[in-house]
Short mmCIF file of all heavy atoms in Angstrom, two decimals:
data_model
loop_
_atom_site.label_atom_id
_atom_site.label_comp_id
_atom_site.label_asym_id
_atom_site.label_seq_id
_atom_site.Cartn_x
_atom_site.Cartn_y
_atom_site.Cartn_z
N TYR A 1155 7.88 -44.38 -34.83
CA TYR A 1155 8.76 -45.16 -35.68
C TYR A 1155 10.17 -44.50 -35.77
O TYR A 1155 10.17 -43.31 -36.19
CB TYR A 1155 8.07 -45.21 -37.02
CG TYR A 1155 8.80 -46.17 -37.96
CD1 TYR A 1155 9.14 -47.43 -37.62
CD2 TYR A 1155 9.09 -45.85 -39.35
CE1 TYR A 1155 9.77 -48.42 -38.46
CE2 TYR A 1155 9.73 -46.70 -40.20
CZ TYR A 1155 10.01 -47.98 -39.81
OH TYR A 1155 10.68 -48.80 -40.65
N TYR A 1156 11.11 -45.26 -35.57
CA TYR A 1156 12.57 -44.74 -35.64
C TYR A 1156 12.95 -44.18 -36.92
O TYR A 1156 13.76 -43.06 -36.92
CB TYR A 1156 13.59 -45.73 -35.17
CG TYR A 1156 13.89 -46.71 -36.31
CD1 TYR A 1156 15.00 -46.59 -37.06
CD2 TYR A 1156 13.01 -47.94 -36.58
CE1 TYR A 1156 15.32 -47.53 -38.06
CE2 TYR A 1156 13.30 -48.80 -37.46
CZ TYR A 1156 14.40 -48.61 -38.24
OH TYR A 1156 14.72 -49.50 -39.32
N ALA A 1157 12.56 -44.60 -38.00
CA ALA A 1157 12.95 -44.09 -39.41
C ALA A 1157 12.32 -42.73 -39.52
O ALA A 1157 13.13 -41.82 -40.14
CB ALA A 1157 12.59 -44.99 -40.50
N VAL A 1158 11.26 -42.43 -39.05
CA VAL A 1158 10.71 -41.04 -39.09
C VAL A 1158 11.50 -39.99 -38.24
O VAL A 1158 11.88 -38.93 -38.69
CB VAL A 1158 9.21 -40.96 -38.79
CG1 VAL A 1158 8.71 -39.50 -38.72
CG2 VAL A 1158 8.31 -41.79 -39.74
N ARG A 1159 11.94 -40.54 -37.12
CA ARG A 1159 12.75 -39.68 -36.21
C ARG A 1159 14.07 -39.36 -36.82
O ARG A 1159 14.54 -38.25 -36.79
CB ARG A 1159 12.91 -40.36 -34.91
CG ARG A 1159 11.53 -40.39 -34.00
CD ARG A 1159 11.75 -40.78 -32.60
NE ARG A 1159 12.51 -42.01 -32.31
CZ ARG A 1159 12.06 -43.27 -32.26
NH1 ARG A 1159 10.83 -43.42 -32.50
NH2 ARG A 1159 12.85 -44.25 -31.92
N ILE A 1160 14.70 -40.32 -37.40
CA ILE A 1160 15.99 -40.26 -38.11
C ILE A 1160 15.86 -39.19 -39.33
O ILE A 1160 16.73 -38.34 -39.29
CB ILE A 1160 16.57 -41.55 -38.56
CG1 ILE A 1160 17.03 -42.55 -37.47
CG2 ILE A 1160 17.79 -41.33 -39.59
CD1 ILE A 1160 17.34 -43.92 -37.87
N GLN A 1161 14.87 -39.40 -40.02
CA GLN A 1161 14.77 -38.54 -41.20
C GLN A 1161 14.44 -37.04 -40.81
O GLN A 1161 14.92 -36.09 -41.38
CB GLN A 1161 13.63 -38.98 -42.25
CG GLN A 1161 13.53 -38.35 -43.50
CD GLN A 1161 14.82 -38.17 -44.42
OE1 GLN A 1161 15.69 -38.93 -44.16
NE2 GLN A 1161 14.91 -37.21 -45.22
N SER A 1162 13.62 -37.03 -39.67
CA SER A 1162 13.34 -35.63 -39.12
C SER A 1162 14.58 -34.89 -38.59
O SER A 1162 14.78 -33.74 -38.84
CB SER A 1162 12.38 -35.80 -38.01
OG SER A 1162 11.05 -36.32 -38.61
N THR A 1163 15.54 -35.69 -38.02
CA THR A 1163 16.86 -35.14 -37.59
C THR A 1163 17.58 -34.53 -38.80
O THR A 1163 18.14 -33.48 -38.72
CB THR A 1163 17.64 -36.06 -36.85
OG1 THR A 1163 18.05 -37.13 -37.62
CG2 THR A 1163 16.95 -36.55 -35.46
N TYR A 1164 17.60 -35.33 -39.92
CA TYR A 1164 18.23 -34.92 -41.01
C TYR A 1164 17.64 -33.67 -41.72
O TYR A 1164 18.28 -32.72 -42.01
CB TYR A 1164 18.23 -36.04 -42.16
CG TYR A 1164 18.69 -35.66 -43.46
CD1 TYR A 1164 20.12 -35.40 -43.66
CD2 TYR A 1164 17.75 -35.39 -44.58
CE1 TYR A 1164 20.39 -35.13 -45.02
CE2 TYR A 1164 18.18 -35.09 -45.80
CZ TYR A 1164 19.50 -34.83 -45.99
OH TYR A 1164 19.92 -34.51 -47.26
N LEU A 1165 16.27 -33.60 -41.70
CA LEU A 1165 15.54 -32.40 -42.10
C LEU A 1165 15.92 -31.18 -41.35
O LEU A 1165 16.22 -30.03 -41.71
CB LEU A 1165 14.08 -32.51 -42.14
CG LEU A 1165 13.58 -33.52 -43.21
CD1 LEU A 1165 12.09 -33.85 -43.01
CD2 LEU A 1165 13.84 -33.09 -44.55
N LEU A 1166 15.91 -31.34 -39.91
CA LEU A 1166 16.29 -30.23 -38.96
C LEU A 1166 17.75 -29.78 -39.36
O LEU A 1166 18.08 -28.67 -39.22
CB LEU A 1166 16.12 -30.66 -37.59
CG LEU A 1166 14.68 -30.67 -37.12
CD1 LEU A 1166 14.52 -31.47 -35.92
CD2 LEU A 1166 14.02 -29.42 -37.10
N GLY A 1167 18.64 -30.77 -39.60
CA GLY A 1167 20.01 -30.30 -39.96
C GLY A 1167 20.04 -29.53 -41.26
O GLY A 1167 20.78 -28.57 -41.24
N ARG A 1168 19.26 -29.88 -42.27
CA ARG A 1168 19.18 -29.17 -43.39
C ARG A 1168 18.62 -27.84 -43.23
O ARG A 1168 18.95 -26.79 -44.00
CB ARG A 1168 18.43 -29.90 -44.53
CG ARG A 1168 19.25 -31.15 -44.91
CD ARG A 1168 19.24 -31.41 -46.35
NE ARG A 1168 18.95 -30.49 -47.38
CZ ARG A 1168 18.08 -30.72 -48.35
NH1 ARG A 1168 17.39 -31.74 -48.40
NH2 ARG A 1168 17.88 -29.78 -49.14
N LYS A 1169 17.58 -27.60 -42.28
CA LYS A 1169 16.92 -26.42 -42.07
C LYS A 1169 17.90 -25.45 -41.28
O LYS A 1169 17.78 -24.21 -41.41
CB LYS A 1169 15.64 -26.74 -41.32
CG LYS A 1169 14.75 -25.50 -41.30
CD LYS A 1169 13.34 -26.07 -41.01
CE LYS A 1169 12.36 -24.97 -41.16
NZ LYS A 1169 12.12 -24.47 -42.46
N LYS A 1170 18.83 -26.01 -40.54
CA LYS A 1170 19.82 -25.14 -39.78
C LYS A 1170 19.18 -24.16 -38.90
O LYS A 1170 19.53 -22.95 -38.90
CB LYS A 1170 20.86 -24.48 -40.71
CG LYS A 1170 21.64 -25.40 -41.53
CD LYS A 1170 22.56 -24.75 -42.42
CE LYS A 1170 23.50 -25.88 -43.03
NZ LYS A 1170 23.86 -25.56 -44.34
N ASP A 1171 18.21 -24.64 -38.12
CA ASP A 1171 17.42 -23.71 -37.20
C ASP A 1171 17.92 -24.11 -35.75
O ASP A 1171 17.69 -25.13 -35.33
CB ASP A 1171 16.00 -23.84 -37.33
CG ASP A 1171 15.13 -22.71 -36.69
OD1 ASP A 1171 15.60 -22.38 -35.59
OD2 ASP A 1171 14.16 -22.36 -37.24
N TYR A 1172 18.57 -23.19 -35.10
CA TYR A 1172 19.02 -23.48 -33.76
C TYR A 1172 17.98 -23.63 -32.71
O TYR A 1172 18.23 -24.06 -31.60
CB TYR A 1172 19.98 -22.42 -33.41
CG TYR A 1172 21.26 -22.58 -34.12
CD1 TYR A 1172 21.49 -21.84 -35.32
CD2 TYR A 1172 22.30 -23.37 -33.68
CE1 TYR A 1172 22.63 -21.99 -36.09
CE2 TYR A 1172 23.48 -23.64 -34.42
CZ TYR A 1172 23.67 -22.89 -35.63
OH TYR A 1172 24.79 -23.10 -36.38
N ARG A 1173 16.62 -23.29 -33.00
CA ARG A 1173 15.63 -23.53 -32.10
C ARG A 1173 15.27 -25.05 -31.84
O ARG A 1173 14.67 -25.40 -30.99
CB ARG A 1173 14.36 -22.89 -32.51
CG ARG A 1173 14.49 -21.35 -32.58
CD ARG A 1173 13.26 -20.70 -33.02
NE ARG A 1173 13.11 -21.04 -34.53
CZ ARG A 1173 12.18 -20.76 -35.28
NH1 ARG A 1173 10.91 -20.29 -34.73
NH2 ARG A 1173 12.05 -21.10 -36.61
N ALA A 1174 15.90 -25.85 -32.72
CA ALA A 1174 15.70 -27.24 -32.71
C ALA A 1174 16.71 -27.95 -31.78
O ALA A 1174 16.69 -29.17 -31.57
CB ALA A 1174 15.73 -27.88 -34.03
N PHE A 1175 17.74 -27.20 -31.22
CA PHE A 1175 18.87 -27.79 -30.56
C PHE A 1175 18.40 -28.70 -29.29
O PHE A 1175 18.88 -29.73 -29.11
CB PHE A 1175 19.84 -26.68 -30.00
CG PHE A 1175 21.06 -26.66 -30.73
CD1 PHE A 1175 21.24 -26.03 -31.91
CD2 PHE A 1175 22.21 -27.38 -30.30
CE1 PHE A 1175 22.35 -26.12 -32.65
CE2 PHE A 1175 23.42 -27.27 -31.03
CZ PHE A 1175 23.43 -26.68 -32.25
N GLU A 1176 17.59 -28.13 -28.46
CA GLU A 1176 17.14 -28.85 -27.31
C GLU A 1176 16.44 -30.12 -27.67
O GLU A 1176 16.65 -31.19 -27.05
CB GLU A 1176 16.23 -27.94 -26.47
CG GLU A 1176 16.94 -26.83 -25.78
CD GLU A 1176 16.10 -25.87 -24.96
OE1 GLU A 1176 14.97 -26.39 -24.49
OE2 GLU A 1176 16.50 -24.74 -24.69
N SER A 1177 15.67 -30.26 -28.66
CA SER A 1177 15.00 -31.36 -29.11
C SER A 1177 15.99 -32.39 -29.71
O SER A 1177 15.88 -33.63 -29.35
CB SER A 1177 14.00 -31.01 -30.20
OG SER A 1177 12.92 -30.29 -29.67
N LEU A 1178 17.02 -31.95 -30.34
CA LEU A 1178 18.07 -32.82 -30.88
C LEU A 1178 18.91 -33.42 -29.83
O LEU A 1178 19.18 -34.62 -29.72
CB LEU A 1178 18.93 -32.09 -31.85
CG LEU A 1178 18.34 -31.80 -33.20
CD1 LEU A 1178 19.16 -30.68 -34.04
CD2 LEU A 1178 18.04 -32.98 -34.04
N ILE A 1179 19.22 -32.63 -28.78
CA ILE A 1179 20.00 -33.02 -27.53
C ILE A 1179 19.18 -34.12 -26.95
O ILE A 1179 19.73 -35.14 -26.43
CB ILE A 1179 20.35 -31.85 -26.70
CG1 ILE A 1179 21.33 -30.94 -27.40
CG2 ILE A 1179 20.83 -32.40 -25.26
CD1 ILE A 1179 21.63 -29.60 -26.67
N THR A 1180 17.81 -33.86 -26.71
CA THR A 1180 17.07 -34.82 -26.03
C THR A 1180 17.01 -36.29 -26.75
O THR A 1180 16.94 -37.27 -26.11
CB THR A 1180 15.57 -34.29 -25.97
OG1 THR A 1180 15.57 -33.13 -25.32
CG2 THR A 1180 14.78 -35.34 -25.24
N LEU A 1181 17.07 -36.18 -28.18
CA LEU A 1181 17.15 -37.48 -28.91
C LEU A 1181 18.48 -38.16 -28.67
O LEU A 1181 18.46 -39.51 -28.97
CB LEU A 1181 17.13 -37.17 -30.39
CG LEU A 1181 15.69 -36.82 -30.92
CD1 LEU A 1181 15.77 -36.65 -32.49
CD2 LEU A 1181 14.80 -37.97 -30.56
N LEU A 1182 19.40 -37.71 -28.01
CA LEU A 1182 20.56 -38.49 -27.58
C LEU A 1182 20.25 -39.57 -26.52
O LEU A 1182 21.03 -40.49 -26.40
CB LEU A 1182 21.71 -37.59 -27.11
CG LEU A 1182 22.31 -36.70 -28.16
CD1 LEU A 1182 23.33 -35.69 -27.44
CD2 LEU A 1182 23.14 -37.45 -29.17
N LEU A 1183 19.06 -39.44 -25.96
CA LEU A 1183 18.66 -40.43 -25.06
C LEU A 1183 17.61 -41.34 -25.61
O LEU A 1183 16.96 -42.14 -24.86
CB LEU A 1183 17.99 -39.74 -23.80
CG LEU A 1183 19.02 -38.88 -22.97
CD1 LEU A 1183 18.31 -38.17 -21.82
CD2 LEU A 1183 20.16 -39.71 -22.42
N ASP A 1184 17.41 -41.35 -26.91
CA ASP A 1184 16.41 -42.16 -27.57
C ASP A 1184 16.71 -43.57 -27.46
O ASP A 1184 17.93 -44.02 -27.24
CB ASP A 1184 16.40 -41.82 -29.13
CG ASP A 1184 15.15 -42.37 -29.78
OD1 ASP A 1184 15.28 -43.56 -30.26
OD2 ASP A 1184 14.10 -41.71 -29.86
N LYS A 1185 15.71 -44.49 -27.39
CA LYS A 1185 16.04 -45.92 -27.17
C LYS A 1185 16.67 -46.55 -28.45
O LYS A 1185 17.26 -47.61 -28.26
CB LYS A 1185 14.73 -46.51 -26.85
CG LYS A 1185 13.61 -46.49 -27.96
CD LYS A 1185 12.34 -47.14 -27.51
CE LYS A 1185 11.29 -46.97 -28.55
NZ LYS A 1185 10.24 -46.12 -28.22
N ASN A 1186 16.69 -45.85 -29.58
CA ASN A 1186 17.22 -46.43 -30.77
C ASN A 1186 18.54 -45.84 -31.05
O ASN A 1186 18.79 -44.59 -31.12
CB ASN A 1186 16.29 -46.12 -31.95
CG ASN A 1186 16.72 -46.78 -33.22
OD1 ASN A 1186 17.65 -46.24 -33.91
ND2 ASN A 1186 16.05 -47.81 -33.72
N LYS A 1187 19.51 -46.62 -31.18
CA LYS A 1187 20.89 -46.10 -31.38
C LYS A 1187 21.10 -45.36 -32.78
O LYS A 1187 21.92 -44.43 -32.71
CB LYS A 1187 21.99 -47.47 -31.40
CG LYS A 1187 22.01 -48.18 -30.16
CD LYS A 1187 22.77 -47.42 -29.12
CE LYS A 1187 22.90 -48.36 -27.88
NZ LYS A 1187 23.05 -47.62 -26.66
N SER A 1188 20.39 -45.78 -33.75
CA SER A 1188 20.58 -44.97 -34.99
C SER A 1188 19.96 -43.66 -34.89
O SER A 1188 20.48 -42.64 -35.49
CB SER A 1188 19.79 -45.74 -36.14
OG SER A 1188 20.29 -47.03 -36.26
N VAL A 1189 18.94 -43.44 -34.19
CA VAL A 1189 18.36 -42.08 -33.75
C VAL A 1189 19.31 -41.32 -33.09
O VAL A 1189 19.60 -40.06 -33.26
CB VAL A 1189 17.04 -42.20 -33.14
CG1 VAL A 1189 16.51 -40.84 -32.83
CG2 VAL A 1189 16.00 -42.96 -33.92
N GLN A 1190 19.96 -41.89 -32.05
CA GLN A 1190 21.03 -41.27 -31.31
C GLN A 1190 22.17 -40.76 -32.17
O GLN A 1190 22.58 -39.56 -32.05
CB GLN A 1190 21.55 -42.12 -30.25
CG GLN A 1190 20.52 -42.51 -29.10
CD GLN A 1190 21.09 -43.63 -28.20
OE1 GLN A 1190 22.07 -44.23 -28.41
NE2 GLN A 1190 20.37 -43.90 -27.09
N ALA A 1191 22.57 -41.69 -32.97
CA ALA A 1191 23.74 -41.32 -33.80
C ALA A 1191 23.39 -40.17 -34.86
O ALA A 1191 24.19 -39.31 -35.17
CB ALA A 1191 24.22 -42.55 -34.62
N SER A 1192 22.17 -40.22 -35.35
CA SER A 1192 21.68 -39.25 -36.24
C SER A 1192 21.57 -37.90 -35.52
O SER A 1192 22.02 -36.92 -36.17
CB SER A 1192 20.27 -39.65 -36.89
OG SER A 1192 19.91 -38.65 -37.72
N ALA A 1193 21.07 -37.77 -34.51
CA ALA A 1193 20.98 -36.60 -33.75
C ALA A 1193 22.39 -36.07 -33.42
O ALA A 1193 22.61 -34.87 -33.53
CB ALA A 1193 20.23 -36.77 -32.36
N GLU A 1194 23.25 -36.87 -33.01
CA GLU A 1194 24.67 -36.54 -32.76
C GLU A 1194 25.34 -35.88 -33.91
O GLU A 1194 26.02 -34.82 -33.90
CB GLU A 1194 25.50 -37.64 -32.19
CG GLU A 1194 26.89 -37.21 -31.84
CD GLU A 1194 27.73 -38.45 -31.41
OE1 GLU A 1194 27.35 -39.57 -31.62
OE2 GLU A 1194 28.74 -38.18 -30.87
#
Side-chain angles (χ1 to χ4, degrees):
Y1155 188 50
Y1156 75 95
V1158 173
R1159 295 193 307 272
I1160 290 171
Q1161 185 61 18
S1162 297
T1163 61
Y1164 171 73
L1165 291 173
L1166 287 168
R1168 292 220 20 229
K1169 199 157 182 66
K1170 294 183 176 148
D1171 194 325
Y1172 288 92
R1173 294 176 293 170
F1175 254 85
E1176 290 180 19
S1177 298
L1178 288 168
I1179 291 170
T1180 304
L1181 280 183
L1182 292 172
L1183 297 176
D1184 195 274
K1185 61 185 176 244
N1186 185 287
K1187 298 282 186 208
S1188 298
V1189 174
Q1190 294 172 349
S1192 180
E1194 180 185 16

